[in-house]
Amino acid sequence: MTGERVYNFSAGPSVLPEEVLKKASDEMLNYRGSGMSVMEMSHRSRIFEKIIGEAEERLRRLMDIPDDYAVLFLQGGASLQFAMVPMNLMGRTGRAGYIDTGHWSSRAIKEAGLFGEVEVLASSADRGYTYIPAMSPIPEGLSYVHITTNNTIYGTRYTSLPDTGDIPLVADASSNILSEPVDIRKFGIYYAGAQKNLGPAGVTVVIIRKDLAGGHLPKTPTMLRYDIHVEKRSLYNTPPCYAIYMVGLVLEWVEAQGGVQTIYAQNQEKAELLYWFLDQSDLFSTMVEPAYRSLTNVPFFLPSEELTQTFLKEAEAQGLVNLKGHRSVGGLRASIYNAMPKEGVEALVAFMKDFERRYGRRR
Ligand SMILES: *Cc1c(COP(=O)(O)O)cnc(C)c1O
């Protein structure tokens, strides 16, 4: 740890690479000789067009995004995508399939229901969302199928994708975009709020196969039409300029680390360290089935609420913060996104070991 910074295990907004924050700080008053901050620039200026263009190019390189896909920088968070996806795609047949893997997919399902008929194709609610359900053959006539690739609250992730054939697969990847390699061609739309693994809150990245834009329902507001944003290259109105700049810096950092493969290897190492400890512990436990364990969000539990509170208090005193589980599941959760250094996970595991030695049953 440098200076007074802590290890921040927040689920989102979450830790950013220190190098990125330093660079933003260096460029705050005078962005590369422009004499102004990125926050003060016209979004129509050549200098900002370069910022947004480079961010897009970096993401295209990192994720190997082909030319028939557009990369959009929108507002409204992943939550607005819950509505934009059906408003723009549901018109094809009036029906869409959703897989229910917890809180965020439930929200997506609820929103889609405003615009058409929703079929829940599979759900893991029966075992407390601790796994990813298998999908039975896809019914005919669906406009698209929606999944949540990583379930931030329950700590599950898709380790293999459902085969939807010709039906576009739409994914909310808010909490695991760029944490592991994906074949973007398998998706019709792949979207993510930035504040988990990409940058600060305020911008949402939407990667969309271009032929899926333009089929919006008749009363769709202009701002919520994918075709408009594709045509205007995210500059239909004022975009979240500063957040886009920050995403660009994070993408530059990911490239400097060696790209997504390197980051993936680091993420596996970090997650294994934590799961290894949890699996052999007599005091801590984790509910998630091993085949579906998230690389980015790790929920875990202590046997009592009292111990949980003690853990949180002591951890914070050690500079290990934001480890409280989501209010809907309780317990504890460590979010270990790309920007969490391995040292942070090592410090957490060392603290947990010590905690177990002091509070666990004597063996
Ligand atoms: C955080 C999160 C959301 C909500 O994102 P907002 O940008 O706050 O709307 C949606 N889906 C997943 C998987 C998330 O982790």
Side-chain angles (χ1 to χ4, degrees), residues 76-79 82 104 148 150 152 172 174-175 193 195-196:
S79 298
F82 297 165
W104 296 115
T148 311
N150 184 80
T152 324
D172 174 2
S174 293
S175 52
Q195 69 273 22
K196 272 98 189 215

Side-chain angles (χ1 to χ4, degrees), residues 68 84 98 106 143 155 185 202 242 244 277 296 305 353 361:
D68 56 331
M84 273 179 82
Y98 277 70
S106 307
S143 299
R185 291 165 188 82
Y242 196 77
I244 293 169
F277 175 75
T296 45
E305 183 54 30
K353 265 185 201 163
R361 281 178 258 118

